[in-house]
Amino acid sequence: SQTWFNPENPQETLVRHDEGIEQYLIDITPITDRTTGSIGSYLLVKTSLKQTETEKRTYQQLSLAGSLGTILATFLVIFLSFRYTVFTRIANMLMTLRQLEQGNLSARVTNATSRDEIGVLQRGVNAMATKNARLYEAEKNRRYIAEQLREATAVLNSTLRLADVLDLILYQLGQVIDYHSVAVQRLD
């Protein structure tokens, strides 16, 4: 028989004990009486090593599964946050730029109200689109006026009759300027 515990020197003892093919861990802990300060009893805990190892593996597997679950959940939260706060907003801005490139000068980035860097970029795209639309309209008007002036010059060069020239000038003027009435007076 083995000696696990020495009552002469009572202290907590942890031993490994074999019983046939089973192995056990045995813990003997003295329990001190608070009033007298002497050892009143002992606590004996006997645990199967096989069961302990099984529980240890189960706890390790649960811990690993919990860690992987936490990592996956964190990744999903970060991905979804980025998708809304970054990816969707950049995709919206790229779509607007493609529309502008294809000639849709009324295209604008929607919801460009945030104060972060992407919001600043979105407002910059909208300002650029507005300025380009204004420049395009101004250029279109200039081309129209230049064409009307070219036609007026061609008309003036096509006839020498003063009445015809004056009528053609008034007609061409009506193409450039919207007026209610106009008069040409001849001073002799």
Side-chain angles (χ1 to χ4, degrees), residues 148-161:
Q148 294 304 314
L149 290 174
R150 186 197 61 76
E151 287 180 17
T153 304
V155 167
L156 288 174
N157 289 330
S158 70
T159 183
L160 295 177
R161 288 192 37 203

Side-chain angles (χ1 to χ4, degrees), residues 30-128:
I31 301 174
T32 307
D33 186 342
R34 289 188 197 182
T35 56
T36 64
S38 64
I39 297 175
S41 57
Y42 294 92
L43 175 66
L44 175 92
V45 177
K46 182 178 178 183
T47 305
S48 166
L49 277 178
K50 185 177 182 182
Q51 180 183 355
T52 304
E53 287 297 320
T54 302
E55 287 178 6
K56 179 181 173 184
R57 275 192 299 279
T58 301
Y59 289 134
Q60 286 173 336
Q61 290 170 349
L62 286 174
S63 177
L64 180 63
S67 296
L68 290 175
T70 301
I71 290 169
L72 182 61
T74 303
F75 172 77
L76 283 173
V77 166
I78 290 172
F79 176 76
L80 292 174
S81 295
F82 265 81
R83 183 168 184 211
Y84 173 72
T85 59
V86 177
F87 301 144
T88 303
R89 294 167 60 204
I90 290 176
N92 185 13
M93 195 169 22
L94 288 173
M95 183 179 65
T96 301
L97 288 170
R98 283 188 198 106
Q99 290 173 351
L100 290 168
E101 181 181 38
Q102 293 171 356
N104 180 1
L105 298 179
S106 64
R108 298 294 182 273
V109 178
T110 57
N111 300 325
T113 58
S114 66
R115 299 202 179 274
D116 62 359
E117 291 83 358
I118 294 175
V120 170
L121 188 58
Q122 289 173 323
R123 287 188 298 281
V125 167
N126 284 346
M128 177 191 67

Side-chain angles (χ1 to χ4, degrees), residues 155-176:
V155 167
L156 288 174
N157 289 330
S158 70
T159 183
L160 295 177
R161 288 192 37 203
L162 184 58
D164 290 339
V165 170
L166 295 176
D167 285 341
L168 290 171
I169 289 174
L170 293 176
Y171 173 77
Q172 291 298 327
L173 184 62
Q175 298 296 316
V176 177

Side-chain angles (χ1 to χ4, degrees), residues 128-142:
M128 177 191 67
T130 300
K131 186 172 183 177
N132 282 346
R134 284 185 194 141
L135 290 172
Y136 177 77
E137 284 302 315
E139 177 61 25
K140 192 167 125 181
N141 287 338
R142 282 190 205 105

